[in-house]
Each structure stands twice: as structure tokens, then as C-alpha cells.
Amino acid sequence: MKRLRHTRHTVAIRLNGIDRTGECEPRTLLSDFLRYELGATGVHVGCEHGVCGACTVTVDGLAQRSCLTLAVVADGREVRTAEGLAPEPGVLSELQAAFRRHHALQCGFCTPGILMSCADFLARVARPSEPDVRQMLSGHLCRCTGYSNIVSAILEVASGNEDSPDA
Ligand code: FES
Ligand code: FES
């Protein structure tokens, strides 16, 4: 019997500001491409069904579930993952620092996806209300924190208020 041969595609993306190229099958998910082909293991994979939000990245600035996106669709696009948030090695972004100050993570599995949704959200909504933030977070499952500290961290960054409860 003749074996089915899958065509390999070359996918070129700008990942966190650096041009990267890799190969994948037509059916390869962007989450798998980023993790296994390009080594961006900050992309966490939980449900693989678009429910938990852990795999969220931005594609051309818009938050997107990488487990529901084919890698070939991202060809030629700008993709950002949590690895690309820090301005330089060893320095946290404003949002990451706020998460740290507010104890907005415990196991951290959900955190990269939430940070990437926040990156998109805060770029579009300058002064979000608490309900706005909670609405955005409704696309993410966190089993540890109870969400309150995450909300506090995001609202602090949104308000430009650097004061923190334990600074
Ligand atoms: S792994 Fe993509 S939404 Fe859960
Ligand atoms: S910090 Fe553990 S799932 Fe959110």
C-alpha cells in the first residue's frame, strides 16, 4: 500500500523581534511549532482545545490561542510570546514586575498566556475598569490564585500606579 507523504512547509515568523524559520507539517499547531521547532517553551499547553488560555500568544499584536492556530497561518507574521516581554535579560517588564509584587502567580502554568492577553488588552484599553479586566481574564483558567491578585496587578499597571502593597 502506498504510504501517505506529508508535505513539509517552511514557516518564517518574526518571533519576539527576531526573524526565525522552521519546518512543519501543514497540520502542525502554532503552539507545537513554537515550543518544539523554535524552542519557545514559555508557550504552555494545557487543554489543547481553546479553553484554558495557557497557550495564548500575540500574532500581529492580537492575542490568539496558539493551540487553535496552524503554524502555517502564522507565516510572515509577528509573533510574541512571554519570552519577548522582558526588555532585556534579567529585567522584568512592568507587567511581570506587577505580577511579582502582587503575588499574582503560584504554579505559574497559566501566567504566560495571561501576560500575553494582557499585552494585547492593555495596548487597546488604556484605562480598564475592574469588570473590564475580569472580562478579559474570563478567557483564562487559573487553578491556583483565585484571580484577585492577578486583577490587582493588571489594574496597577493600567493606572500607571507603581505603588504596591509590599514595595
Ligand atoms: S492549551 Fe490552548 S487554550 Fe488551552
Ligand atoms: S498560577 Fe497555577 S494555574 Fe494559575
Coordinates of all heavy atoms in Angstrom, one line a residue, residues 44-56 65-68, ligand 1:
H44 N 2.8 27.6 27.1 CA 2.3 26.5 27.8 C 1.1 25.9 27.1 O 0.3 26.6 26.6 CB 2.0 26.9 29.2 CG 3.2 27.2 30.1 ND1 3.2 27.6 31.3 CD2 4.5 27.1 29.7 CE1 4.4 27.8 31.8 NE2 5.3 27.5 30.8
V45 N 1.0 24.6 27.2 CA -0.1 23.9 26.5 C -0.9 23.1 27.6 O -0.3 22.2 28.3 CB 0.4 22.9 25.4 CG1 -0.8 22.1 24.9 CG2 1.1 23.7 24.3
G46 N -2.1 23.5 27.8 CA -2.9 22.8 28.8 C -4.0 21.9 28.2 O -3.8 20.7 28.1
C47 N -5.1 22.6 27.7 CA -6.2 21.8 27.3 C -6.1 21.4 25.8 O -6.7 20.4 25.4 CB -7.5 22.6 27.5 SG -7.5 24.1 26.4
E48 N -5.4 22.1 25.0 CA -5.3 22.0 23.5 C -6.7 22.0 22.9 O -6.9 21.5 21.8 CB -4.7 20.6 23.2 CG -3.2 20.6 23.4 CD -2.5 19.4 22.8 OE1 -2.6 18.3 23.5 OE2 -1.9 19.5 21.8
H49 N -7.6 22.7 23.5 CA -9.0 22.9 22.9 C -9.5 24.3 23.0 O -10.7 24.5 22.9 CB -10.0 22.0 23.7 CG -9.8 20.5 23.3 ND1 -9.0 19.7 24.0 CD2 -10.4 19.8 22.4 CE1 -9.0 18.5 23.5 NE2 -9.9 18.5 22.5
G50 N -8.6 25.2 23.2 CA -9.0 26.6 23.2 C -9.7 27.1 24.5 O -10.4 28.1 24.5
V51 N -9.7 26.3 25.6 CA -10.5 26.6 26.8 C -9.6 27.3 27.8 O -10.1 28.3 28.4 CB -11.1 25.3 27.3 CG1 -11.8 25.6 28.7 CG2 -12.0 24.6 26.4
C52 N -8.4 26.8 28.1 CA -7.7 27.3 29.3 C -6.9 28.6 29.1 O -6.7 29.3 30.0 CB -6.7 26.2 29.8 SG -5.3 26.0 28.7
G53 N -6.5 28.9 27.9 CA -5.8 30.1 27.6 C -4.3 30.1 27.8 O -3.6 31.1 27.6
A54 N -3.8 29.0 28.3 CA -2.4 28.9 28.7 C -1.5 29.1 27.5 O -0.3 29.6 27.6 CB -2.1 27.6 29.4
C55 N -1.9 28.8 26.3 CA -1.1 28.8 25.1 C -1.1 30.1 24.4 O -0.6 30.3 23.3 CB -1.5 27.7 24.2 SG -3.2 28.1 23.5
T56 N -1.8 31.1 25.0 CA -2.0 32.4 24.3 C -0.7 33.1 23.9 O 0.2 33.3 24.8 CB -2.9 33.3 25.2 OG1 -4.1 32.7 25.5 CG2 -3.2 34.6 24.4
R65 N -5.1 32.0 20.6 CA -4.8 30.7 21.1 C -3.9 30.0 20.1 O -4.3 29.6 19.0 CB -6.1 29.9 21.2 CG -7.2 30.5 22.1 CD -6.9 30.4 23.5 NE -8.0 30.3 24.4 CZ -8.3 31.2 25.3 NH1 -7.5 32.2 25.5 NH2 -9.4 31.0 26.1
S66 N -2.7 29.7 20.6 CA -1.8 29.0 19.6 C -2.1 27.6 19.4 O -1.7 27.0 18.4 CB -0.3 29.2 20.0 OG -0.1 28.6 21.3
C67 N -2.9 27.0 20.3 CA -3.4 25.6 20.1 C -4.5 25.5 19.1 O -4.9 24.4 18.8 CB -3.8 25.0 21.5 SG -5.4 25.5 22.1
L68 N -5.1 26.6 18.7 CA -6.1 26.6 17.7 C -5.7 27.2 16.4 O -6.5 27.5 15.6 CB -7.4 27.4 18.3 CG -8.1 26.8 19.5 CD1 -9.3 27.7 19.8 CD2 -8.5 25.4 19.3
Ligands
FES1 S1 -3.8 24.9 25.5 FE1 -4.7 26.4 24.2 S2 -6.4 27.2 25.2 FE2 -5.7 25.6 26.5

